[in-house]
Amino acid sequence: MMSINNLLTHFSNLLFLYWEDLLLLVKEDSSGSLKDDWLQANWELIVEGLLDDKNIVLNVYGDGADCNGESSRVLYPDRQQTHRLICKPLVGKHVYDVLNEQSLDVTQDDIVFDRFVSIGDDGWYYELPPFNKILGEFSGEAVVVDFSGVDVRLQPLKVS
């Protein structure tokens, strides 16, 4: 069984290796949804699909897909999210938000994974290689943390 962090590493590597080709294909796409559909499909196949528990349904990757009407999922559009990914500090470390240039107190709230990004020279995040950062949400705000500096964990959603 592969850990969630290893699965995310493989997914990030796929993005890094294929991104230029994907952008070339996107230029030829008349639907306008190829990039998001491709990202979501690969997310479901690689990250969600290779988890040990096949009943786990993750939050969508980034903006999700547009290919299935009201669902943001590709393979099983009727499945409902059961877990989300949260970023915790590595043992003995703190989590630093490179976007807002501040340490985050993750004892008060969770950083919820959204997608892989990179930080540009201007200090803003972009969906571009090397995909070594994570865009997340923390206390209602966008944050960007180093992927290598966090432990990503599965968190079950509370059933109401």
Side-chain angles (χ1 to χ4, degrees):
M1 176 179 107
M2 207 176 291
S3 75
I4 188 66
N5 286 285
N6 285 337
L7 291 171
L8 291 171
T9 297
H10 287 292
F11 184 76
S12 173
N13 290 343
L14 175 71
L15 297 180
F16 178 79
L17 292 170
Y18 198 70
W19 197 252
E20 280 187 44
D21 286 336
L22 177 62
L23 293 183
L24 290 173
L25 295 171
V26 165
K27 290 179 184 176
E28 303 298 321
D29 173 39
S30 62
S31 74
S33 68
L34 175 67
K35 179 179 72 82
D36 289 339
D37 293 350
W38 185 89
L39 288 167
Q40 181 62 33
N42 282 285
W43 178 254
E44 291 176 34
L45 288 168
I46 295 167
V47 179
E48 192 176 88
L50 294 176
L51 290 171
D52 194 40
D53 184 343
K54 300 304 178 207
N55 294 315
I56 292 176
V57 180
L58 298 176
N59 46 306
V60 298
Y61 182 83
D63 295 326
D66 290 331
C67 63
N68 281 321
E70 293 183 24
S71 177
S72 293
R73 297 182 51 79
V74 174
L75 301 177
Y76 303 102
D78 295 334
R79 292 185 78 191
Q80 297 298 310
Q81 178 184 350
T82 63
H83 290 71
R84 65 184 188 169
L85 297 179
I86 58 169
C87 304
K88 293 291 187 180
L90 296 173
V91 175
K93 303 287 183 181
H94 69 278
V95 178
Y96 186 76
D97 171 14
V98 295
L99 180 64
N100 301 297
E101 300 178 337
Q102 62 183 355
S103 290
L104 301 175
D105 182 1
V106 293
T107 62
Q108 302 300 314
D109 204 353
D110 293 315
I111 302 167
V112 180
F113 181 101
D114 181 66
R115 70 184 84 190
F116 285 107
V117 296
S118 299
I119 290 288
D121 292 337
D122 60 358
W124 194 247
Y125 65 88
Y126 297 95
E127 209 167 6
L128 292 170
F131 296 104
N132 59 350
K133 309 271 190 267
I134 294 173
L135 172 64
E137 182 179 313
F138 178 76
S139 297
E141 301 291 326
V143 296
V144 176
V145 298
D146 284 317
F147 179 38
S148 64
V150 294
D151 178 30
V152 181
R153 300 179 188 170
L154 289 164
Q155 183 182 67
L157 297 177
K158 294 176 182 152
V159 180
S160 43

